[in-house]
Amino acid sequence: MTHPSKRKIKIKEQERDNYGRFAKKLRVADNWGDDDDSGWDDEVDMLNEKDKYELVWSDNTHLERKKRGPYLAGKTKKSTYFDKYGPSGCFTKAAKGTAKITIFINKHRSTPDDFEEVLDDMEDEEQAKLDLNERIEILKIELKKQQNSLSVTEYNKKRAIFEYLRRLSDNDGKGKVKATLPDQKRELTEFERGEIIGLWKKGHSERNIGEILGHPKSTIHDTITRYKNSGQITASSRSGRPLKLTERNVRQLVRTLKEDRQQSLEEMTKKFSESLSISVSSNTIKRTLHSEGFFGRAGKRKPFVSEANRKKRLEWCRERRDWDDEWNFIIWSDESRFMIFQNDAHHWVWRKPHEKYDVDCLIPTVKSGNQGVMVWGCFAKDKIGPLIQVSGSINASVYMGILENTFLPFYNSLENNSQYIFQDDNAPVHRARTVKQWKEDNSIIDFPWPAQSPDLNPIEHLWDVLERRVREHKPHPKNIEELMVILEEEWNKIEPEILTNLVESTYYDSHERPDVVKYQELFLDKIYDYVKFMAKYEGENMEQIPPTLGPNDKEIILVTHDECVFYSNDGKQGVWAKSGELPLRKKGNDRSIMVSEFLSEECGRLKLNAQQIQENPSIPKEARAYLQPGKDREGFWTSEHLIDQVKTKTIPIFETLFPNCIALFAFDNSSNHAAFKSDALVASRMNLKPGGKQPKMRNTIFGPSNQHQSMVNENGEPKGIKQVLIERGLWKNGLNADCQLCKDKVDDENRVDCCARWIISLQPDFLGQKSASEEVILEAGHKCIFYPKFHCELNYIERYWGAAKRYTRENCNYSWSGLQHTVPAALESVNTITIRKFARKAWRYMDLYRKGVTGKLAEYAAKKYKSHRCIPDYVLAELNK
Ligand SMILES: [Zn+2]
């Protein structure tokens, strides 16, 4: 028996183009192999790759996609446990750091975390759109000119591209008609192939079948040919992994990989070949790893949402952007596991979400036999649904039983229940064919759900609420049975307000919350009070126009602050991961530099020049502060660090640079910046009763006649909330220290006297308590302002970080030493003119908001009138039309 030569195998593997010639690989596979993660990549990449494919048109492509289920369109089923929470639930934490996707739903844009990315996105989109229209024009001209000189095939190809782009450009780039790639992208199901053969047997032509079923002609042809030749409708199975490696080898390979997930394919091949003393090609290694479910993918700082799924989520959110009442008619559902965790004196109830699908995630510290309780629950916006225990593992028939016996009665109990749609996530069990059929039979409409998006499900927060309440429940549950009883009891006690609040906080625009709007107005009023004392920067070179000052006026200079972290593994290095899994990088390699910086339009970065350094030897050279965050490094950046920076660096440098000027320091609304001095009036630090661990607070005044009040009693102990309220005539019998609504952070303007802590926190002296950093700044004779929440477009330093990160991406090798060199250079690479331009953009936003232009319109105007610091009146009139 002869073996085919290596070369022949190679030829077989090589792809061919439509003319039978060897085709170049479509994507250059880098060291990390192909990312087979998602079918959605294909769509995204289509524009770039279009000229490598021949386009085939079919008018019902979009229907096909729907049929296949939009979220399972890739080769890999998407929504596994790993997708959501990583191997040990670590992504729940990671998810906390990522921007809430709701920013895309919100009519006003926001997000502190991913601002830079969002900006990039928007700019790219604009760019792409421009390119698109340009391309269409060019193609159109070319087609006209060349129609007589091109071959028919060439012409058709070009024409197809033109048509594709043209349709894509309709409807703002969301063209309804989609092109599919030829069948290489998708295999038919057995049923679909059966349909083809069925029609063919009835005497339909291939062309005819194509028209009826909407498959590409080549697919039809192949299916029929295969049937003719083999009598089978099953696709010939794709060639699997060549059996070059034994099973033992494979296990060893996986072990090698797990030792260091960041090694490159070459490293791994080398290590592996050496250890076995056989020669294995990197292709074999790659193929083997793929068949074991490992794919190389770019390591990400924020692993939670893959790029493709981010786009997907974005689209999902955009489609629901204008939803309002619609959110009231969704039934949210999910499973969760609760456990009792025993710890000497304490019993903890402890929830690990979604480990149901992964045995590896059971925590070994949990005593055997304590597997906890798996529950399933659902709710609508103003009505709690049932919660039941699920025993054993969940499979399709168990899930269907839940739907039939638990969900359906609840559904039927809802008024106008036909208006409701049902949400469950994309866990394979939820999407089983039998489950789909059940839903169809019972007219339950599914809510399409984006992958990797537990954060969009308000029930996630409901689990948290439930967990908190069960933990506080006394007596503590001692066993699983008791736990289940308490779970049910606490679940049924959950107030409708909490449910409404959960849905609203997930899906409604937090900018529209009255307190946020009010604060924004206050902020704008305040900052525009100062504007007349500030210099302006205008024109091509952003030249300074000094303010017109009265004899006693001082110039005010806005100094904006923020912190940003640069990571040593922000780079392109990859990690090996199971499909759908994006592990965090190993901690040891995850070194980073945090920068805390101050900028002003007047001078860019706050720093002294050579001469000033010589003349002021006691003043630091620059205001910037660095920190290497980490438990084993320099700890974490706290409010004390910031206060120290302001005190010892920022203020002295500012006063050296601009004697006789007043600084207006602007901070983000983060908790660090709002930290209070230890004797500050802070309701959350107080106890109801006197003494104990509560801090001694400073003296204060209250009431219309500014009555003095000491916060300490005759014994020198802190008075506690009750005594303070009694003295103010605000105490009422039966007041609790806290109420449940306050504990669950339910915001409600109308609630004023629910509990003692809430009452004291609404007192003017407590409300007016200034943060520690603000107190330091005021003591030095300067001013302080905090940006409104969710409005990072107003802090121009965000754009500065964006520019510095871009520079870092392009110039840093992301080794630790490389990062140390690059970060300062990256920051210095942004010049003062650019900083002034960033500031101009922020001023433009403020001006628009002040004039009542908000949301998308403001975004549009801020982009369109790039050279304006203020929006001219005639433009405003036009916008408001
Ligand atoms: Zn309360």
Side-chain angles (χ1 to χ4, degrees), residues 739 742 754-755 758:
C739 73
C742 283
C754 50
C755 55
W758 191 245

Side-chain angles (χ1 to χ4, degrees), residues 41 54-55 113 136 269 287 400 596 618 639 661 682 695 697 706 716 718 764 772 832-833 851 858:
D41 283 332
E54 195 161 346
L55 288 156
D113 264 328
I136 295 171
T269 309
R287 212 169 33 239
M400 231 154 58
S596 174
S618 62
S639 54
C661 291
V682 183
M697 294 182 174
N706 289 338
T832 304
I833 289 187
K851 290 170 178 163

Side-chain angles (χ1 to χ4, degrees), residues 737-743 751 753-756 758:
D738 299 279
C739 73
Q740 199 63 53
L741 288 173
C742 283
K743 276 189 201 166
R751 199 170 79 243
D753 53 0
C754 50
C755 55
W758 191 245

Side-chain angles (χ1 to χ4, degrees), residues 711-725:
M711 301 298 273
V712 178
N713 62 24
E714 312 86 57
N715 307 331
E717 286 175 335
K719 281 178 179 170
I721 304 177
K722 184 174 176 182
Q723 186 57 36
V724 173
L725 286 181

